[in-house]
Amino acid sequence: MTPRATITDAFNILLQPERFKDYGPNGLQVEGSAEVGKIVSGVTASLALIEAAVAARADAIFVHHGLFWRGQTGAVTGWMKQRLALLLKHDINLYAYHLPLDAHPDLGNNAQLGLQLGLTATSRFGDQSLGFLGAKTDGGSFAGALALSEHVKKGLNSPVSLVNIAQAAIKNIAWCSGGAQAYFEAAIAAGADAFITGEISEPQAHYAREMNVAFIACGHHASERYGAPAVAAHVASQFGLVHEFIDIDNPA
Ligand SMILES: [Zn+2]
C-alpha cells in the first residue's frame, strides 16, 4: 500500500497539469482511502467503470474523462449522484487527467495512439501543441487515404469514417485523439496529407474535399483507450501497485 498523497504527487509530476488550460480539474477529483494498493484505469468515469472498479477491489480509478466539466450546473443529481455515491461508498479515489493525458510525449493518448498505429511524431501543432505530426515509424508511406483508413480500422479494431479518398501517397500524418475535429485546419496548415481523430463534424467533410487532405474519424473512445492504462501502469510499477485496465465499450 502507498499513501494517496504519494500517488497524487507521482501523477502530477508526470503529467504537469499546471501547464494546461483545461475544461475541468486535473488530478484527484474525488478523495477516497488514504492508502492505495490497486489502481483501475479506464477512459471515462462512467457508472459501469466505477462498478467494475468496485468488483475489482480498486482503491483508485485513473481516467481521461472525469466527473467535472466547465458548464455543468454543479448539482449532484441523477447520473452524477449515482457515480459519486458509489465512489464515496467504497472509498475509491478518482484521478482524472484530460489534456495533460493527451499531451504526454511518451505515455499520453496521442503518443500511445501513434504507437498503436505504427506512427512516430516529429513535431506538434495546434492549440496548446496537442496535435501530433509525423509519419510511419518505418519511414514508409501509405499508398493512399483508403490504405491508411484500412490500417487505422485494423489497428484500433474500430469502424472509421473516411472523407476524401485521395489517390496520392500519404506520408505526413497528423493525429489528435478524442474530439479534436477542430484541429483539422491546423493540421492542414502544418502540412498533413491526412488527419486522424476520434470524431468528425459537418464542416470537416468539406475542408477535407476542398483542401485535398484525408480526414479519418476512428471513434472518440477508440482513439483514447491507450493513454490512461499506459500512465496508470507506469505509476503503479513505480510503487509496486497492482494495475488493471478495464475497457467499457463505447461505440462513440
Ligand atoms: Zn476525450
Side-chain angles (χ1 to χ4, degrees):
M1 298 293 265
T2 302
R4 179 213 312 123
T6 306
I7 305 295
T8 305
D9 286 349
F11 282 132
N12 284 332
I13 288 165
L14 189 66
L15 297 173
Q16 304 177 9
E18 66 283 353
R19 289 178 43 224
F20 298 86
K21 214 173 120 256
D22 214 330
Y23 308 98
N26 288 300
L28 182 65
Q29 287 198 342
V30 179
E31 190 178 294
S33 62
E35 301 275 327
V36 174
K38 177 165 184 177
I39 305 174
V40 157
S41 65
V43 177
T44 299
S46 62
L47 188 62
L49 180 68
I50 298 168
E51 285 169 346
V54 169
R57 303 192 159 278
D59 308 298
I61 299 176
F62 180 92
V63 293
H64 181 49
H65 303 134
L67 291 181
F68 309 110
W69 300 98
R70 196 199 293 158
Q72 286 172 334
T73 64
V76 181
T77 56
W79 60 266
M80 179 67 90
K81 185 217 163 179
Q82 291 183 57
R83 295 184 194 183
L84 261 180
L86 198 58
L87 284 170
L88 295 172
K89 180 180 170 200
H90 293 275
D91 216 16
I92 297 175
N93 294 284
L94 176 67
Y95 291 97
Y97 290 85
H98 185 233
L99 300 183
L101 182 62
D102 289 323
H104 191 278
D106 306 309
L107 301 171
N109 276 326
N110 284 326
Q112 293 289 316
L113 179 62
L115 197 66
Q116 193 71 20
L117 296 175
L119 306 174
T120 300
T122 47
S123 65
R124 301 285 195 96
F125 70 92
D127 185 43
Q128 302 191 66
S129 298
L130 290 171
F132 280 43
L133 180 69
K136 275 182 91 170
T137 304
D138 66 11
S141 53
F142 290 91
L146 207 53
L148 174 60
S149 97
E150 283 301 313
H151 174 80
V152 172
K153 192 167 141 189
K154 235 175 90 193
L156 303 184
N157 191 24
S158 164
V160 304
S161 299
L162 166 66
V163 183
N164 188 2
I165 307 176
Q167 296 300 316
I170 291 190
K171 174 108 181 138
N172 300 322
I173 299 167
W175 68 97
C176 196
S177 66
Q181 56 268 58
Y183 277 64
F184 188 35
E185 288 173 273
I188 296 169
D193 304 317
F195 179 59
I196 303 166
T197 187
E199 301 182 23
I200 185 165
S201 296
E202 198 271 353
Q204 284 88 42
H206 299 291
Y207 302 154
R209 293 175 186 140
E210 292 165 23
M211 302 303 289
N212 201 27
V213 176
F215 189 105
I216 294 170
C218 62
H220 190 134
H221 175 86
S223 72
E224 296 194 320
R225 270 179 303 196
Y226 306 102
V231 166
H234 178 86
V235 167
S237 76
Q238 266 182 282
F239 301 100
L241 308 178
V242 179
H243 164 249
E244 182 184 349
F245 172 62
I246 298 180
D247 191 24
I248 304 295
D249 184 52
N250 186 338

